[in-house]
Structure formats: C-alpha cells, structure tokens
Amino acid sequence: LGEAQASLEAALKINPNLSLARINLAAILNEIGDFKGAVEEGQRAIKLDPKLYEARYNLGTAFQELGRHEQAIAAYKQVLTQQPNHAAAAMNIAYGFQQLGRLEEAEVEYEKTLQIDPSFAKAHVNFADLKLQQGKPSEALVICNNFLENNPAHADLLACKAIALGDIGDTK
C-alpha cells in the first residue's frame, strides 16, 4: 500500500482536483488505520464531485472507525440514495445503529440488508449478534441455521450458533 499511497499523493500534488485519486487515497488511509486522513480525503473528493458514492462509502467507513456513528450512518444513507442495492452500506447503517444502542432500528436495517443480498455472510453474523445482544438467542440460532443450510463450513456463523445454543442452554 505504501507505493500506491505515494503514487496517489504525487498525482494529487500535480493535480489536486483528481477526485478518483482522492477516493482511492481515502480507501488506502482507511486500510492502514489513518481514519482522520481518510475523512479529510473523502470530504475533499465529495467537494470535487458530490455524485461519487464511493467517496461517501469511504467516509462512512472512516467515521465508523472513529466512533462517529451518526455521521457514518448519514454517509452510508447517501450511498444508498445513489446505489440502493449497496448491501455493505446498508449493513453498515445497521451496525451504526447497533453501536448507538438503537437496536430496533438496527434490526430493520439488517433485514433490509439481507433483502438486498441474502448471501451476505457478514450481515448474517452481525444480525445474529444483534439478536444475542437483544437477549433473543433462539432468533439468533434461526439466522445462523438459515445461512448454514447452504454454507455449512462458515466459521463465524458456526461460532455464533454455538454461542446461541449456549445461551439457550443446549450445550450437548
């Protein structure tokens, strides 16, 4: 990533109005954990071209990592206005609500996410985790089992299933 980052930064020194370079730089900064830098680059990219949903997605990721969940949710909602079937943005809205303790809203958003992409494993894991957080291990177990029917070797969902069974009291 270091060479890619250096190349993007060099390109932006030559032409600071390259919105796609700013989007890619924000993604790299997110990847290496420089979330404040990713926010700055994401905001710059959006100023250059407000239609770039990728910039809003990267911005949402950085906000989420910084614990700024309200801002992350707003960024991901803007992604969905342009790309209504963007399952990762939908899931991240649900996750943001979950982190804020707004569990009913999170539940609705996880359901929307799984309507967009029923095979999205991470959304199933997060949704089952939400159900466990709500004290509903039987519902978490249903979510896990539904996904595991077609993907029996998914480690995260198998682990989630074990936790749900333990919470139910089925430790056989």
Side-chain angles (χ1 to χ4, degrees):
L1 291 179
E3 190 174 344
Q5 181 180 352
S7 293
L8 289 168
E9 288 170 348
L12 289 168
K13 283 182 182 172
I14 296 167
N15 182 354
N17 295 323
L18 294 174
S19 56
L20 290 176
R22 293 208 177 275
I23 291 170
N24 290 324
L25 182 56
I28 289 172
L29 294 172
N30 274 331
E31 187 74 25
I32 64 173
D34 181 0
F35 304 115
K36 289 181 182 177
V39 166
E40 291 171 10
E41 289 304 327
Q43 289 172 332
R44 287 179 186 140
I46 291 166
K47 281 183 184 175
L48 291 169
D49 188 348
K51 295 178 185 172
L52 294 173
Y53 73 89
E54 300 94 336
R56 294 185 190 285
Y57 185 83
N58 289 336
L59 192 58
T61 300
F63 283 141
Q64 198 101 301
E65 292 294 334
L66 290 168
R68 294 162 60 180
H69 298 293
E70 293 285 354
Q71 290 171 293
I73 290 167
Y76 291 129
K77 283 183 175 183
Q78 290 173 337
V79 170
L80 290 178
T81 62
Q82 293 176 275
Q83 296 289 318
N85 292 323
H86 198 295
M91 183 195 67
N92 288 331
I93 290 169
Y95 180 78
F97 282 134
Q98 188 174 356
Q99 295 305 303
L100 291 168
R102 294 162 56 182
L103 304 184
E104 282 117 23
E105 289 169 278
E107 186 171 347
V108 168
E109 296 302 325
Y110 281 127
E111 289 170 353
K112 287 180 187 176
T113 301
L114 293 172
Q115 287 174 358
I116 294 169
D117 184 358
S119 67
F120 194 176
K122 179 78 172 151
H124 284 274
V125 171
N126 287 0
F127 194 17
D129 179 59
L130 171 70
K131 291 298 186 176
L132 291 171
Q133 187 179 354
Q134 291 174 316
K136 300 175 181 177
S138 296
E139 292 181 31
L141 184 60
V142 168
I143 292 166
C144 294
N145 283 337
N146 286 344
F147 187 83
L148 290 168
E149 280 180 23
N150 296 316
N151 304 282
H154 195 282
D156 289 338
L157 280 155
L158 287 168
C160 188
K161 178 180 179 175
I163 293 167
L165 287 168
D167 286 357
I168 292 169
D170 183 354
T171 55
K172 299 177 204 166

